[in-house]
Amino acid sequence: MKSNGVLDHRDMYRLPWSLPDNAISWLEPTSACNLSCDGCYRENVASSHKPLDVVRKEVELFLELRNSDGISIAGGDPLMHPEIVEIVRMIADMGVKPILNTNGGKLTMELLRELKKAGAFGFTFHIDSKQGRPKWKDKNELDLNDLRLQYAQMLAEVGGLSCAFNSTVYEDTLHYVPGMVEWAQKHIDIVHVMVFILYRAAAPQLPFDWYAGGKKIDMGNLVYSESRERKIDLKAQDVVNEIRKKYPDFMPCAYLNGTEKPNSFKWLLTGRIGTKEKIHGYVGSKFMETIQTMHHMMKGRYLAYSTPSMTSLGRSMMLLSAVDKGMRRTAASYLSSVFTNPMDFFKGLHYQSVMIIQPVDFLPNGLQNMCDGCPDMTVYNGELVWSCRMEELKQFGCWVRTVPISQQ
Ligand code: SF4
């Protein structure tokens, strides 16, 4: 890190995820959804449930083309699919961790138990204030912590499930992020991952012409087009700066860079260790390198999600102090805490991840800076494609290119 707090990618571990060898793949069994999120990049199509044999073929394609530890089952909302339990069972039977990425609206305790029985490994709940949730209108991100807690408690009651939350971050909600990170700390025993996704849109007002093949096109019809004046280029560093207002030591340890800019942060991962009352510290790059390498050596795949029993092993993880500076600092803080107050020894020490995702950036020269080693590749027409831009293929048959207006 530079002295002004600016992150330097050379201080961090570049996650080893690539096109053929990636911790995650992204399955969309349906495009149907029961909400209408402001920042959504998928056209909501009610009659879009894929039959089981199509879903199976897509999973087989993932397994043929890439080593994946987990499959994010997304959409649309995957719980809209009438055969979601079967889909989860099929993925688990194929030896991959099924992770449900849902808004949670259709989740009941009964369905949750069924999904767990079918082999669900975990859930990522997408919850933010711009989803038009019927009972949560006019509520802000901090009010929504109550809803997050309901889902975290449901998962904790069933047990053995990884619990993650993601939220799209907009310019006017950025200031709520530290409060959400603080809430996650208070529930570090049952909340394992927090993800912040920066709002992006294809804005026709950008200084580009938009081309599909050789043809100039109107981007205005795409679901992720935005004609309002809105900030669409928040950066991962902005979120880090905001979090540091509450957690000055907040320090990411690993990243995925952009396809066009090696020093841009597209996925920025922070691992912290603490109790509900105190964060003792942040793991460093060597910790993450050791975990990813060991997992790959033992299982042939990079690690996507951990079980709750693993994340509760904060004390055992301190053995990695031998190789990791961040962990040494964390262990020192923990030991001093226990020395001052021996009762602290009996408090659970947990690991929690905070991920910041910075999707596509439009560079002044017209290049689009994507996530290098994109984990969220999905299947379209038998090919792996970026899920965040799939609507371009559906509407125009090819990727849309941006050409600076002044260069023509
Ligand atoms: S390139 Fe798009 S789909 Fe892939 S990880 Fe980045 S934002 Fe997600």
Side-chain angles (χ1 to χ4, degrees):
M1 186 176 69
K2 299 182 178 130
S3 54
N4 55 3
V6 175
L7 301 170
D8 187 327
H9 69 295
R10 293 167 299 182
D11 297 336
M12 292 178 220
Y13 173 54
R14 201 291 190 177
L15 290 164
W17 307 346
S18 61
L19 188 57
D21 200 353
N22 208 299
I24 309 169
S25 293
W26 185 267
L27 177 76
E28 297 194 10
T30 182
S31 308
C33 192
N34 47 347
L35 288 182
S36 177
C37 303
D38 195 342
C40 187
Y41 54 76
R42 184 69 63 245
E43 197 74 56
N44 188 347
V45 185
S47 57
S48 57
H49 305 324
K50 293 177 184 166
L52 270 187
D53 60 321
V54 172
V55 175
R56 175 181 287 280
K57 281 205 180 91
E58 294 193 357
V59 178
E60 283 170 352
L61 190 75
F62 287 137
L63 299 186
E64 186 190 322
L65 295 180
R66 53 209 247 142
N67 295 328
S68 288
D69 189 42
I71 291 195
S72 297
I73 313 172
D77 193 284
L79 302 188
M80 298 290 285
H81 197 295
E83 293 174 292
I84 188 59
V85 176
E86 280 315 308
I87 291 172
V88 166
R89 197 186 326 277
M90 184 170 77
I91 293 172
D93 287 348
M94 291 164 97
V96 194
K97 299 171 180 169
I99 317 288
L100 288 128
N101 282 38
T102 172
N103 61 46
K106 288 185 79 71
L107 192 66
T108 59
M109 277 312 281
E110 193 191 350
L111 177 58
L112 177 54
R113 288 188 208 283
E114 266 188 84
L115 290 165
K116 168 83 195 298
K117 218 163 130 200
F121 189 88
F123 285 73
T124 300
F125 294 100
H126 189 127
I127 297 177
D128 67 54
S129 59
K130 296 189 199 278
Q131 296 180 294
R133 287 179 180 267
K135 294 189 196 141
W136 297 84
K137 290 216 164 82
D138 305 322
K139 300 292 182 194
N140 67 35
E141 298 302 337
L142 301 189
D143 299 328
L144 281 162
N145 283 337
D146 291 344
L147 180 62
R148 294 184 182 100
L149 187 56
Q150 285 175 25
Y151 287 119
Q153 286 172 334
M154 280 172 80
L155 263 57
E157 192 181 326
V158 170
L161 290 161
S162 164
C163 177
F165 291 95
N166 67 29
S167 303
T168 308
V169 179
Y170 303 81
E171 185 181 20
D172 60 342
T173 60
L174 176 63
H175 65 287
Y176 289 120
V177 170
M180 295 157 77
V181 175
E182 186 181 33
W183 170 84
Q185 179 203 321
K186 286 196 181 122
H187 303 284
I188 198 167
D189 53 337
I190 56 173
V191 174
H192 311 117
V193 186
M194 289 295 279
V195 184
F196 299 103
I197 306 167
L198 305 180
Y199 172 67
R200 287 292 185 270
Q205 73 267 24
L206 288 171
F208 302 121
D209 279 327
W210 305 78
Y211 281 88
K215 268 203 190 141
K216 211 163 166 180
I217 50 131
D218 176 10
M219 277 299 276
N221 299 328
L222 272 186
V223 63
Y224 41 81
S225 158
E226 173 60 270
S227 53
R228 288 170 288 178
E229 273 301 323
R230 248 177 147 187
K231 193 164 176 60
I232 54 166
D233 59 354
L234 277 174
K235 298 284 189 289
Q237 177 83 52
D238 298 329
V239 179
V240 170
N241 293 347
E242 200 64 30
I243 294 174
R244 282 179 176 162
K245 290 180 183 168
K246 196 164 283 266
Y247 294 96
D249 300 334
F250 185 85
M251 189 61 209
C253 62
Y255 71 101
L256 284 181
N257 55 284
T259 49
E260 307 298 334
K261 292 186 83 177
N263 59 350
S264 57
F265 296 111
K266 305 304 272 181
W267 284 46
L268 188 59
L269 175 61
T270 303
R272 57 185 192 166
I273 299 220
T275 62
K276 290 159 161 251
E277 290 80 28
K278 183 173 179 187
I279 295 298
H280 285 289
Y282 298 86
V283 304
S285 59
K286 292 291 172 199
F287 173 91
M288 196 52 66
E289 183 170 356
T290 308
I291 295 290
Q292 289 285 335
T293 307
M294 278 173 55
H295 195 272
H296 202 275
M297 283 172 72
M298 290 190 299
K299 311 246 175 180
R301 297 165 177 178
Y302 291 115
L303 178 66
Y305 288 81
S306 303
T307 57
S309 54
M310 283 298 293
T311 55
S312 64
L313 292 177
R315 261 192 290 268
S316 310
M317 289 178 191
M318 287 183 181
L319 290 172
L320 289 180
S321 292
V323 293
D324 185 67
K325 235 193 300 181
M327 193 51 105
R328 277 200 289 283
R329 279 194 293 264
T330 305
S333 156
Y334 174 67
L335 291 175
S336 122
S337 201
V338 169
F339 187 70
T340 320
N341 184 0
M343 290 311 283
D344 279 0
F345 181 77
F346 299 102
K347 290 182 182 159
L349 199 59
H350 300 269
Y351 174 90
Q352 188 179 59
S353 300
V354 179
M355 181 72 95
I356 302 166
I357 301 180
Q358 178 184 316
V360 56
D361 290 304
F362 298 95
L363 305 185
N365 62 6
L367 290 176
Q368 296 178 30
N369 195 29
M370 306 298 292
C371 310
D372 190 17
C374 162
D376 296 345
M377 295 297 274
T378 195
V379 178
Y380 181 75
N381 279 351
E383 303 283 344
L384 291 183
V385 303
W386 297 303
S387 55
C388 66
R389 292 180 54 193
M390 194 169 80
E391 292 297 324
E392 295 166 31
L393 302 177
K394 284 161 92 179
Q395 192 149 333
F396 304 112
C398 61
W399 299 120
V400 168
R401 285 183 309 124
T402 32
V403 179
I405 290 169
S406 58
Q407 286 184 14
Q408 292 168 76

